[in-house]
Each structure stands twice: as structure tokens, then as C-alpha cells.
Amino acid sequence: MKHTYFCPLDHFGSLGLTGQDAQKFLQGQITCDVNEVTKSQGQAGAYCTPKGNVIANFDLVSHKDTLLLHMPLSMVATMQQAMAKYIVFSKAKLYDASSDWCRFVVWGDHAAACIKATFGFVPDTRLGAIQNEECLVWSNNAENNEFIVYCRATAKEGVIASLKHGASLAKISAWDARQINQGLIYVTPDISDSYVPQMLNLQATGAINFKKGCYTGQEVVARMQYLGKLKRHIFIGQVTSLEALEVGQQINASKRKNVGKITSIACTGKNAYAFTAVINCTEAQEDQLHLNEQEDASISLLPLPYEIDPQVFERIKL
């Protein structure tokens, strides 16, 4: 029985950036260090408002002379519009590259072998990348055997045929649930401009470089990290509900209403859901949670697979 899977990522797109000032421009806009991006190494990052709220987060990779920001398709136009007002003074071009590529995700026990059989090489570090003229592959999580595949439309048929030899086609909900169980999230329009990066645990998943220079929202992001004022952040949850969950849906506690909101969802079975949610730390740790107006839809929280530096939390005044 195959325990290796793949599925199209049709709901993802890309923002492309080219030109001699592309790297310099982007360095002053986003949370990660663009100078560390090469043809064989990407970075996770986010783009914030001047007030420090995350507009979108992404994987930043390079193909030939183009920087690509991999993110939900629903966020590409928003990001392009937000950045366009600042790029006019740079020798760089910003464009929607979503239709330039076909996208797949591959994961499971033999995913690395499947990637090697298809492309000849396999990236073996977090966001490590390989590429040729028609394809770009990077490791979403090398330790967990997860890979993102970009290919041109002319290569799509051959890539799919090769992947089918080593992997089974899966539903996107299976991949979404896997991401949720790792405490990973991509911002969508429902929650864009709602949370600072630390509320989405981005500092714990490697999407913020605190040693790079200034970028939009940097002062707020740094102050949150070093002055310790975080009161809520991403948690992983499970719930059974007769009503379909929605991003932005309110979470209540037994003693208090509106202690959190759902940020991503995956259906895992009949009336069963996995989700991430930004929840007040106090209620998440001390109270029983349930969906808004569904007191019988009791929420179970799961441990995060990574540690959060305690310095970001609100310090207790003695």
C-alpha cells in the first residue's frame, strides 16, 4: 500500500518580481532576509502593514532571474496592489505569475524518492530547492518528506505521469490537515491585516529574521518580540460539528465569549474538522472552549510541534 501522496495546489498562486532592483526592493518590504535566497535555497516570510499586521505570508523562492512569492491565489492581487505603490521608484517589475506555473504538493514515506525519480535530484533542507528550465521544486519540510513542485504547462503531463508511479492522488483536505497539524498557516483574505506575525507563530516557524534591516512594520514586530506583550497566538484544534466551519468563526470559552477565531480549516471526516485558531492564551490553557452558538461543539486543543519563546508573552507584573 502506498503511503506517498500528491495533489494539485490549484488554490495557490505566485507573485513574481524581476529587475536589477528586485532583491533590494523586496528586502525593505518583508520579514525574511531576501539576501539569503538563492537558486538552491528559499525563505519563509511575511508582508506587513506599517502597523505590523500580516497582509500575507509566503514561501520566497527563486527561479532563474525571478523571485517568486508562493501564497494562496486569493492573496496574490492583494499583495500586488499593496506593493505596487512602493515599487514605482525601483528598477523592478512586480507581476502576477500565477498562470505561469502548475503547482503540486508531494508528501509521505517515499516522497523524496518520488521527487528524485521525477526530477533527478531532491532538496534535503527546509526550503532547499532544485530547478531546471521548466520546473522548480523545494522542500516544504525535508524531515517530514514534503515537497512543493512548480512546473510549466508544457511539462505538466509528464510530471503527473511520473508522480503517479510513486504516489497516490489525494484530496487537498488531506494536505491541509497535515499543514494544520504542524501549526502552519497561510493568511487568506478573511484574516488578512488582522494579526501581527507572532500571533500566527511566524517567529517560531522561521518566517521572521530579527537581525535584518528595516522593513514595513518592523518596529512593531520587533517590539512584540522583545518587550513581551503577546496575549494570543495560533493553537491547533479538533472539533466535531454538524455545521461546516468557516475561517473567522468565533470561539467561546465557558466563562467568556469571543476568546479566539478560526484561521484555517480541514475536514478530516464526517462532521470532523482540524483547524488552527488564534486564541487568548489564558482561556486556551485554563478553560473549556467551544464554537460560537454551538456549546455542544467542544474543542480539543493539541500540542504545537514547535516551541514558542516565552519572552514574547506578556510579562506578569509582581
Side-chain angles (χ1 to χ4, degrees), residues 139-159:
S139 170
N140 185 71
N141 188 325
E143 293 182 359
N144 286 356
N145 281 316
E146 299 170 357
F147 302 91
I148 305 298
V149 175
Y150 271 38
C151 68
R152 302 295 190 186
T154 52
K156 179 180 179 180
E157 187 175 331
V159 168

Side-chain angles (χ1 to χ4, degrees), residues 4 11 35 89 135 216:
T4 305
H11 63 308
N35 294 328
F89 303 108
C135 299
T216 305

Side-chain angles (χ1 to χ4, degrees), residues 58-79:
F58 45 80
D59 294 329
L60 174 62
V61 290
S62 174
H63 183 263
K64 299 179 70 175
D65 60 351
T66 301
L67 293 169
L68 292 168
L69 287 77
H70 170 78
M71 68 186 77
L73 182 61
S74 57
M75 290 305 307
V76 173
T78 299
M79 278 281 286

Side-chain angles (χ1 to χ4, degrees), residues 1-5 106-118 122 144-147 163 165-167 178:
M1 180 179 179
K2 290 181 180 179
H3 294 283
T4 305
Y5 308 94
V106 185
W107 76 94
D109 296 341
H110 304 294
C114 185
I115 292 295
K116 188 173 183 178
T118 303
V122 57
N144 286 356
N145 281 316
E146 299 170 357
F147 302 91
L163 292 178
H165 282 296
R178 190 177 177 95

